[in-house]
Amino acid sequence: MAQSIAAADVSTIVFACEAGIGSSFMGVTALKKKLKQANLSISVVHKSVRSLPTDAKLVLVHKGLADFARKQAPNAVVIAFSQFLNDPVFDQVVQSLQDGTDLVEA
């Protein structure tokens, strides 16, 4: 299980949720907007936690699904959040990517 990933190694963020639709889509849209405002050209893909790609490097997922996400994508850094909108975790991820610092699993 990965514990951290260098910002330079992140080209795609997988935003995972329970079903892959619904309220998490708003979170995806907000994250894309934050990345664009930070002038970061990082792709954000929206997936069901059950269909996480095994080669995912960075996964953002609701805290209730974090353990399952770790099993589905064992080599990914999994960062858990509590709220689909305006969670401080999203700002921390964007800031780390912007600063070029490692993203640490939480």
Side-chain angles (χ1 to χ4, degrees):
M1 174 171 59
Q3 296 295 321
S4 66
I5 185 170
D9 293 336
V10 177
S11 59
T12 301
I13 298 171
V14 179
F15 195 106
C17 68
E18 192 164 8
I21 56 173
S23 61
S24 60
F25 186 74
M26 291 184 292
V28 170
T29 302
L31 180 59
K32 286 180 178 181
K33 183 177 178 182
K34 289 176 185 289
L35 291 166
K36 184 176 180 178
Q37 289 173 339
N39 293 315
L40 295 168
S41 56
I42 295 172
S43 173
V44 179
V45 294
H46 189 222
K47 295 281 185 182
S48 161
V49 73
R50 287 174 180 74
S51 63
L52 281 174
T54 56
D55 64 344
K57 292 182 180 180
L58 179 61
V59 176
L60 297 182
V61 64
H62 189 271
K63 65 182 180 180
L65 298 170
D67 288 338
F68 190 75
R70 289 182 183 100
K71 290 177 187 169
Q72 294 294 103
N75 297 316
V77 172
V78 176
I79 298 178
F81 58 86
S82 297
Q83 304 169 50
F84 283 101
L85 292 175
N86 300 321
D87 195 296
V89 167
F90 303 133
D91 291 329
Q92 293 166 2
V93 166
V94 171
Q95 191 65 54
S96 291
L97 292 167
Q98 201 170 25
D99 293 346
T101 58
D102 290 357
L103 291 106
V104 179
E105 186 160 304

